[in-house]
Amino acid sequence: MEDLRALEGKKITIYDIAREAGVSPATVSRVLTNNARVRSDKQEAVQAVIAKYNFRPNALARSLSETRRKVIGIIMADVRNAYYAKLFVACEQAARAKGYSLLLENSLGQQSIEEQQLILMEEQRVDAIILVGGRADDLHSNEDFVEKVNQVCNSIPVILTGKLDGTSCRQVRIDAIKTMDLVMEHLLALGHRDIALVGGLDTVASSYEKRKRYKQILSKYQIPCHPEYYETFGRYDYETGYSQTENLLALDNVPTAIIGINDSAAVGAMNCIQEHGLNVPEDISVVGYDNTQICSMVKPKLTSIDYNYDDFAEKLIATVEGVYSASSLPPLQLIEPSLIVRGSTGIVKGA
């Protein structure tokens, strides 16, 4: 079991006590409130850790024993983005099936707003907070934000769809490496070797992981890695996909396939290709990410990575449930992606 001395400089929480004692936070709460529904061996393990660190119960220990409101707070980076909208609807349905209501806040990717929303949800005594995007997507976690989240974690469980180094928050996130494996295996099987990647910031953990895996796969198959194919970082929108594709089409060695960092960037790439008198997929294949509604609204329909949103949402809500029960959930759960093949990808021209 983990020794809490490794957490030197960080305030010990009920979650830390639970982890070292090998029980759930709810069990720690029952011990702290003298609840009789605790096995003697678990009670002794918890009390030993409490005595070891001279732990004093905080607000979370009290709140776990009180009547829950059955309300979950969700803070999303930008619900106007089709990915966030689709995931929220799936979460709403999964929550409703478990008797929960959702409280949605939109941070617009701004840390100051996200911190205010954390405080607001803490004051409203939601049962848990789920962070989707925003600072939890950063490759390098912001120390001030980590401190704020740790403060909130003393009273309310926080669950991430990304990561925050320095917190003990549970994570339910997409297997970004597997997504790139699926995309590259598909394109390579179609004969593509000149494959470009448009959109995405290297400061975003998932984008960094995708780009890194993309380069690893090219190296594995001894395919030349052209910096001009992947080093044009950008945002996650149509305009980025369009402008970066325009730059690619001006190269001497035009790629035969383009991966958009999301569906919006991929559609921008498709329209740019078509407006330059080329065809998708006959001249250039295009793949997107997120499998949103836009995939079926373009011609040809867009091949895209899907995240099994229903399973994603159910795991998030089940993690909230798990915090308040004796069930043992892993600190990290990965969502298994799949590739939905449509008309925008085809065999490389001339093969």
Side-chain angles (χ1 to χ4, degrees):
M1 295 180 186
E2 181 181 359
D3 192 315
L4 296 187
R5 298 193 192 282
L7 299 171
E8 185 177 355
K10 172 181 176 291
K11 184 176 180 180
I12 293 174
T13 70
I14 193 172
Y15 292 101
D16 302 322
I17 297 293
R19 188 164 60 251
E20 180 162 340
V23 299
S24 73
T27 298
V28 177
S29 174
R30 294 188 189 107
V31 173
L32 292 170
T33 55
N34 298 315
N35 191 307
R37 294 187 300 115
V38 182
R39 279 177 15 203
S40 59
D41 57 334
K42 290 187 176 182
Q43 183 170 356
E44 289 172 4
V46 171
Q47 288 174 335
V49 178
I50 289 172
K52 179 179 178 181
Y53 297 106
N54 193 29
F55 177 74
R56 293 291 180 268
N58 55 32
L60 181 56
R62 293 189 297 271
S63 67
L64 282 169
S65 65
E66 296 171 354
T67 302
R68 288 151 58 193
R69 295 182 58 207
K70 302 291 282 187
V71 176
I72 299 170
I74 294 190
I75 300 176
M76 288 189 158
D78 192 344
V79 78
R80 294 170 298 183
N81 180 297
Y83 158 71
Y84 293 115
K86 189 169 183 177
L87 180 57
F88 175 75
V89 170
C91 285
E92 196 170 37
Q93 293 171 338
R96 187 179 298 119
K98 295 288 187 178
Y100 287 91
S101 297
L102 296 187
L103 175 62
L104 173 65
E105 291 284 349
N106 199 35
S107 71
L108 302 176
Q110 297 182 34
Q111 181 173 324
S112 60
I113 295 177
E114 202 166 349
E115 290 180 354
Q116 291 170 7
Q117 291 166 342
L118 279 168
I119 295 169
L120 175 64
M121 288 187 173
E122 183 181 27
E123 290 174 347
Q124 294 183 347
R125 297 179 60 249
V126 297
D127 293 337
I129 299 172
I130 301 173
L131 295 181
V132 185
R135 297 286 64 78
D137 272 356
D138 289 345
L139 178 62
H140 302 292
S141 300
N142 179 281
E143 292 183 4
D144 292 338
F145 189 73
V146 167
E147 183 179 355
K148 179 63 65 177
V149 170
N150 280 331
Q151 290 172 2
V152 173
C153 282
N154 285 330
S155 57
I156 298 173
V158 178
I159 298 155
L160 313 172
T161 62
K163 70 174 187 67
L164 275 177
D165 300 326
T167 72
S168 57
C169 299
R170 285 189 171 90
Q171 303 170 37
V172 181
R173 56 187 173 96
I174 298 160
D175 189 341
I177 292 174
K178 180 65 178 294
T179 66
M180 187 55 71
D181 287 346
L182 292 172
V183 169
M184 292 295 283
E185 287 168 6
H186 174 63
L187 293 175
L188 291 171
L190 294 172
H192 294 280
R193 294 298 180 270
D194 295 320
I195 304 169
L197 177 60
V198 299
L201 299 168
D202 241 17
T203 55
V204 174
S206 60
S207 297
Y208 174 85
E209 290 174 356
K210 290 170 188 173
R211 190 169 268 104
K212 181 179 179 181
R213 189 61 170 175
Y214 158 89
K215 291 187 286 185
Q216 289 174 341
I217 293 171
L218 290 177
S219 176
K220 174 183 176 181
Y221 290 98
Q222 298 182 333
I223 298 171
C225 190
H226 304 289
E228 62 270 23
Y229 280 1
Y230 66 87
E231 285 189 349
T232 51
F233 306 116
R235 301 200 66 80
Y236 300 80
D237 53 25
Y238 174 95
E239 291 76 17
T240 293
Y242 190 101
S243 63
Q244 291 191 357
T245 299
E246 201 158 40
N247 294 334
L248 291 170
L249 296 179
L251 297 174
D252 292 333
N253 186 30
V254 176
T256 63
I258 295 176
I259 304 167
I261 200 67
N262 63 5
D263 291 338
S264 295
V267 170
M270 284 180 61
N271 283 0
C272 182
I273 292 165
Q274 292 164 339
E275 289 178 12
H276 279 76
L278 301 173
N279 295 315
V280 177
E282 291 81 4
D283 295 305
I284 302 176
S285 289
V286 179
V287 182
Y289 271 85
D290 300 347
N291 195 34
T292 53
Q293 187 178 14
I294 196 173
C295 295
S296 298
M297 298 170 63
V298 293
K299 189 174 181 180
K301 294 180 180 180
L302 181 63
T303 295
S304 185
I305 286 287
D306 183 80
Y307 306 129
N308 193 351
Y309 288 87
D310 290 340
D311 179 59
F312 196 171
E314 287 170 6
K315 278 186 168 63
L316 285 168
I317 304 305
T319 301
V320 174
E321 290 269 271
V323 170
Y324 290 95
S325 69
S327 62
S328 177
L329 291 172
L332 170 62
Q333 300 173 74
L334 291 177
I335 300 301
E336 185 76 13
S338 60
L339 182 69
I340 308 301
V341 178
R342 300 187 179 91
S344 68
T345 51
I347 296 173
V348 67
K349 192 173 184 178

